[in-house]
Amino acid sequence: MSYLEFLGNYSDRLIDGSLITLLQFVLAALVAVAAAIISGLIKLAQLKPLQAVATVYIEIFRGTSLLVQLYWFFFVLPLLGVSLEKFVAGFLAVGLCYGAYGAELVRGAIQSVPRGQWEAALALNMSPAQRMWRIILPQALVIMLPPWGNLMVEILKGTALVALISVPDLMFEARQINNNTYLSAQAFGTALVIYYIFARFVVTPLMRWLERVMARRIGRA
Amino acid sequence: MFEWRWEFTFEILPRLIGATGKTLLAAGGGYAVALVLGLIFALAQRTPWRVLTVATREVVEFVRSTPLLLQVFFVYYVGPQFGLNLSPWTAGLAAIGLHYAAYLSEVYRGGIESVPKGQWEAAKALNMSTLKTYRRIVIPQALPTAWAGLGNYLVGIFKDTPMLSVIGVGELMHTANAVGAEHYRYLEPYTIVGLIFLAISLPTAWLVRQMEISLRRRLGLTK
């Protein structure tokens, strides 16, 4: 079978798989951003019990493997009474795992906003919430966006693991096609190229664009 | 509701601890491959031949942008198609080594680029060969910068070894799957695996941080 024939026969499945991968990526990224902001802010706040919860979350998810977390979510949580659809377990595990890495980025960025900005907001009689939302977070966002670009690529790559709990994403379809045809180079090679295109020509340019837009909005372009 | 069973825990614990040794072996072996291959990638990008530089850059980008899991499958299954049969261990170490070589080459590059240009010029003025300049002047100064990255990726490669279970490398995750399937109990094996990972990666990460601090102090980079 020539490569063109291969593509003709299996492009439908590869496209379906790619769409699931994109969906998993978007949902996992949203979970990661939410988890990172919440736990990052909690770590900075002076609330001891909550701080301990955030620390435990970050250390557990950063200290173990994504695959272990995924299996735990999918096979163990139901035993404890929480049943998750495999699709949900997939993006939730990936999102929470990388959210723990993102939390450190959020914390570091907020801490690197110059001291004078905090003092100026205080001098203008802003409430703590106003100060955070209007002064500190927009500047922190510009600082942390470049490392988030790398993290987004890691999240995209992380979603490949959901194939192991049978979510029919690109990785899963490539494996199925390989099992049916034994055309490993074609099946896995095509999937590698698709992941590469997503990472290099979709996710990375999108994050760069976001960096520019945000920098312009706070007048640093 | 499922309950934690201690007698079952103690029954399977020796097997899981035995498999931890194999996980460490996989991480160590993969890291050794990555250290050498990463250095080759980094140095290839510093040669004067543009074709080699650009090609290496693209390979590194490609490997970094695609999932390790897919690379593991690719290396394991594509070989036999062309008459090259790799054992799970060989394929696994090659795949994880290649993946992390791409990351480590960036760490090396960052370290080498952090050495001021004047150091190179001084070495040249002293009539040192390129090899000697790297060995005596550049690498000792690049090391503290590179140390944090090298250490973090050591922890990273350790945490990624469970992916080798998919091609049958008998490491920790593979053993936990087998135990779970034999006894129809997944709560204990997967939880223990998680705890073993925590018990190894947290102290290692801490140690890497401490060594970075002391390395910087010894070389007079911080007070």
Side-chain angles (χ1 to χ4, degrees), chain B residues 140-188:
Chain B
Q141 295 187 75
L143 205 59
T145 314
W147 183 264
L150 290 175
N152 288 340
Y153 286 125
L154 175 63
V155 180
I157 205 167
F158 166 68
K159 286 187 291 183
D160 271 349
T161 51
M163 284 192 220
L164 303 186
S165 65
V166 295
I167 54 167
V169 173
E171 45 65 74
L172 199 46
M173 198 72 220
H174 194 262
T175 310
N177 283 336
V179 168
E182 280 162 30
H183 299 270
Y184 297 106
R185 283 188 74 87
Y186 289 96
L187 171 63
E188 293 88 353

Side-chain angles (χ1 to χ4, degrees), chain A residues 1-14:
Chain A
M1 197 188 320
S2 76
Y3 185 60
L4 278 179
E5 273 177 79
F6 172 84
L7 277 187
N9 287 344
Y10 294 105
S11 59
D12 289 353
R13 294 179 61 177
L14 289 169

Side-chain angles (χ1 to χ4, degrees), chain A residues 75-109:
Chain A
F75 293 108
V76 177
L77 275 188
L79 306 177
L80 304 175
V82 187
S83 276
L84 293 174
E85 194 68 31
K86 61 190 175 188
F87 188 85
V88 179
F91 75 77
L92 212 55
V94 177
L96 286 176
C97 176
Y98 289 102
Y101 289 89
E104 298 293 305
L105 299 181
V106 171
R107 193 168 66 109

